[in-house]
Amino acid sequence: MIRYRPLWETMARKKATTYTLRVIYGMSHATVQRLQANLPVSTHTLDKLCKIFNCQIEEIVEYVANNITSNVRDLEGALKRILAYAGIERTNTIS
């Protein structure tokens, strides 16, 4: 699940508000509401937020994994994705 908690923290640090997004930067009220509700937004919106706040995507969004309770194949797939990500990042987080 994608959450936008880092966006609100970034905005607080930079003393920006939802009013700033809507009035100064022309973001629609609907888009701001989607962000507040952690609903999907376009990559164009994410790019615009990074430009507005001169920051990286990690300062706008965070990924929170869902619990896997359905079957072992889903769990196996999730573990393979984690291992692949760890290999890309060159971190050894799983022993």
Side-chain angles (χ1 to χ4, degrees):
M1 168 173 146
I2 300 292
R3 292 193 314 194
Y4 303 106
R5 185 183 346 178
L7 169 62
W8 311 118
E9 294 166 356
T10 298
M11 288 175 61
R13 265 194 331 275
K14 300 199 179 217
K15 304 203 183 322
T17 64
T18 57
Y19 178 86
T20 306
L21 292 177
R22 289 192 318 270
V23 176
I24 296 176
Y25 296 106
M27 194 166 285
S28 75
H29 181 72
T31 298
V32 172
Q33 284 185 316
R34 292 184 71 76
L35 291 165
Q36 289 173 320
N38 290 317
L39 294 173
V41 296
S42 69
T43 54
H44 173 75
T45 297
L46 297 176
D47 182 58
K48 186 174 182 178
L49 289 166
C50 288
K51 288 177 183 171
I52 289 170
F53 296 113
N54 190 28
C55 66
Q56 298 295 311
I57 192 73
E58 296 86 12
E59 296 175 82
I60 302 294
V61 300
E62 66 183 353
Y63 175 74
V64 179
N66 297 326
N67 290 334
I68 298 174
T69 58
S70 56
N71 64 49
V72 72
R73 289 203 171 130
D74 288 341
L75 179 58
E76 180 183 20
L79 286 172
K80 285 182 180 180
R81 285 190 298 278
I82 290 169
L83 290 170
Y85 180 76
I88 291 169
E89 292 295 315
R90 301 210 191 285
T91 58
N92 188 7
T93 58
I94 300 175
S95 299

